[in-house]
């Protein structure tokens, strides 16, 4: 039984965490406990990747489906060779270029990490986070750290310690509060276990950046469709609805003018039904939706800003208790690709506004 633990909270300086606190939390991980910590993407929930029981506790604490594998976090590139069968040249070039940073690479598993980490696959996902607290914690733990996002499964990922507390208080041993996570969306997941790199999840490192180092990249078919694909998904996490607030979210995609017009119509309909409706939109459009509770997230010309505020906006909608969420889409370019992917996965319905409707 995980619930009923006393979660210990520590505030740490994100740039220069107190070595004593890091030593103590590192020891908790080494002993098989669970510690939530900030990274440059979202907050992670860490356990020793070598301890199958501790990894089982992560799944229990999050309510995560057993078949959804975890990313193993490292603080030193040298550690990679001990965990995998081999390191292809493209993988090494990508790790050297983008680590520490929001790139997760999937390689053939070397049989060292605990079986539950891989959820039955013959591959292992590896990443080096670009955050002083995360790196210090992993070094202090002295083991590779398996860490999914520190939220209840299915909920929006946590970008602040408050989000972690709301989901996991009493279910984990400790939480390091180092202020808001930077990027706001999870790492890019890239499968390098075969020949050509396959993008499984868009994130902080864009397809263009990967192509500039690896020469080529294929997008997994599930990214084109936005939803689950038939058959066995290459990345098991893809088959679940994700990142979702409590209220149903309808995503509007298409030209900005068309989206705005459609959202205004949908608000009118919702108000007539007596529904309380929330809108997640760009800051410059915040005044365009009277009758709705508006939560702005970023500016249209800065998808990174939208990414940073997206999960906070989804959680805010839960707190506001709306019945329906209408969300403006963004252009699927650069960081926008990660934002679109998360919004599509959170949505119960995607409305595409054809140019003809304007
Ligand atoms: P999270 O840490 O919650 O952001 O989720 C990690 C993501 O990485 C999920 O979508 C997993 O399915 C994916 N993942 C982890 N390990 C592997 C692996 N060995 N092969 C494919 N996908 C993986
Ligand atoms: Mg997650």
């Amino acid at each position: 039984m995980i619930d009923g633990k006393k979660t210990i909270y520590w505030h740490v300086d994100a740039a220069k965490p107190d070595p004593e606190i890091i030593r103590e939390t590192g020891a908790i991980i080494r002993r098989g406990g669970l510690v939530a910590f900030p990274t440059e993407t979202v907050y992670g929930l860490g356990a020793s990747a070598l301890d199958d029981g501790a990894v089982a506790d992560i799944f229990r604490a999050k309510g995560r489906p057993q078949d959804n594998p975890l990313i193993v976090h490292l603080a030193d590139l040298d550690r990679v060779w001990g965990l995998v069968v081999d390191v292809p040249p493209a993988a090494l070039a990508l790790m050297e270029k983008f680590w520490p940073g929001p790139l997760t690479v999937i390689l053939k598993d070397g049989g060292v990490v605990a079986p539950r980490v891989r959820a039955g696959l013959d591959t292992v996902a590896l990443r080096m986070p670009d955050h002083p607290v995360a790196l210090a914690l992993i070094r202090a733990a002295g083991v590779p750290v398996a860490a999914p996002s520190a939220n209840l499964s299915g909920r929006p990922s946590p970008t602040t310690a408050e989000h972690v507390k709301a989901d996991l208080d009493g279910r984990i041993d400790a939480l390091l509060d180092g202020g808001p996570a930077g990027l706001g969306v999870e790492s890019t997941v890239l499968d390098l276990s075969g020949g050509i790199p396959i993008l499984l999840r868009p994130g902080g490192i864009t397809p263009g950046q990967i192509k500039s180092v690896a020469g080529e990249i294929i997008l997994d078919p599930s990214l084109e469709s936005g939803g689950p694909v038939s058959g066995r998904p290459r990345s098991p996490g893809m088959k679940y609805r994700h990142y979702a607030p409590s209220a149903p979210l309808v995503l509007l995609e298409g030209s900005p003018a068309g989206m705005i017009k459609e959202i205004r119509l949908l608000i009118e309909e919702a108000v007539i039904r007596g529904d309380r409706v929330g809108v997640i939109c760009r800051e410059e459009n915040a005044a365009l939706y009277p009758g709705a509770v508006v939560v702005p997230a970023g500016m249209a010309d800065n998808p990174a800003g939208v990414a940073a505020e997206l999960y906070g906006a989804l959680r805010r909608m839960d707190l506001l208790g709306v019945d329906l969420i209408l969300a403006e889409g963004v252009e699927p370019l650069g960081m926008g690709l990660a934002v679109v992917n998360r919004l599509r996965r959170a949505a119960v319905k995607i409305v595409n506004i054809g140019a003809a409707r304007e």
Side-chain angles (χ1 to χ4, degrees):
M1 183 64 192
I2 283 272
D3 240 334
K5 275 187 193 236
K6 170 111 186 65
T7 304
I8 307 170
Y9 295 90
W10 275 286
H11 277 273
V12 285
D13 183 336
K16 215 171 169 300
D18 181 336
E20 194 50 51
I21 295 173
I22 292 297
R23 242 194 312 278
E24 203 161 323
T25 42
I28 292 175
I29 287 187
R30 199 169 47 248
R31 288 197 303 264
L34 304 185
V35 179
F37 59 95
T39 80
E40 87 283 27
T41 59
V42 301
Y43 271 70
L45 178 59
S48 167
L50 306 180
D51 182 335
D52 211 40
V55 174
D57 285 345
I58 287 186
F59 282 90
R60 257 203 301 276
K62 281 180 61 85
R64 185 176 175 102
Q66 297 283 339
D67 64 349
N68 192 6
L70 307 181
I71 295 168
V72 175
H73 291 65
L74 307 172
D76 296 288
L77 184 60
D78 293 352
R79 282 280 195 153
V80 171
W81 283 265
L83 300 177
V84 300
V85 171
D86 68 338
V87 181
L92 182 56
L94 287 162
M95 291 186 291
E96 282 179 334
K97 173 83 180 175
F98 297 117
W99 279 12
L103 176 69
T104 295
V105 302
I106 293 179
L107 297 173
K108 290 228 172 64
D109 179 60
V112 173
V113 302
R116 278 193 176 85
V117 171
R118 296 178 285 105
L121 300 174
D122 60 2
T123 51
V124 63
L126 304 175
R127 167 168 126 77
M128 188 192 295
D130 187 12
H131 194 293
V133 175
L135 291 171
L137 178 69
I138 297 163
R139 289 207 175 99
V143 289
V145 173
S149 49
N151 53 293
L152 287 174
S153 203
R155 299 258 300 140
S157 294
T159 53
T160 66
E162 286 72 34
H163 296 163
V164 179
K165 193 173 177 185
D167 279 15
L168 298 177
D169 185 38
R171 301 170 78 84
I172 61 178
D173 295 290
L175 166 58
L176 290 171
D177 181 351
L183 284 169
V185 292
E186 303 84 348
S187 60
T188 301
V189 178
L190 191 66
D191 188 348
L192 291 159
S193 65
I196 300 173
I198 304 172
L199 182 68
L200 300 184
R201 177 174 78 183
I205 303 294
T206 64
Q209 286 175 292
I210 292 164
K211 223 168 155 178
S212 73
V213 174
E216 49 192 346
I217 182 170
I218 300 172
L219 266 56
D220 189 85
S222 71
L223 295 180
E224 310 287 358
S225 70
V229 284
S230 55
R232 185 174 160 79
R234 198 179 283 272
S235 185
M238 286 178 179
K239 67 175 186 264
Y240 300 104
R241 182 169 177 246
H242 244 196
Y243 320 118
S246 308
L249 182 145
V250 176
L251 172 62
L252 286 293
E253 295 192 336
S255 73
M259 279 193 304
I260 291 165
K261 198 169 155 198
E262 190 73 21
I263 292 176
R264 287 167 66 99
L265 283 172
L266 290 170
I267 294 170
E268 273 178 38
E269 286 174 18
V271 168
I272 289 168
R273 283 197 307 274
D275 279 351
R276 185 170 153 80
V277 53
V279 173
I280 296 176
C281 65
R282 300 299 73 75
E283 282 166 30
E284 55 267 50
N285 299 339
L288 301 179
Y289 303 116
V293 184
V294 174
V295 176
M299 310 275 287
D301 63 358
N302 180 20
V306 181
E309 291 179 28
L310 181 65
Y311 288 139
L314 292 172
R315 282 180 179 260
R316 181 108 193 87
M317 285 296 174
D318 279 350
L319 295 176
L320 290 165
V322 298
D323 303 303
L324 170 70
I325 302 167
L326 305 171
E328 289 184 355
V330 301
E331 284 257 36
L333 298 171
M335 276 294 280
L337 187 64
V339 172
V340 168
N341 170 262
R342 305 311 190 270
L343 278 171
R344 286 186 179 172
R345 303 279 302 285
V348 296
K349 187 175 163 193
I350 301 168
V351 179
N352 204 290
I353 315 297
R357 301 246 336 240
E358 282 177 51

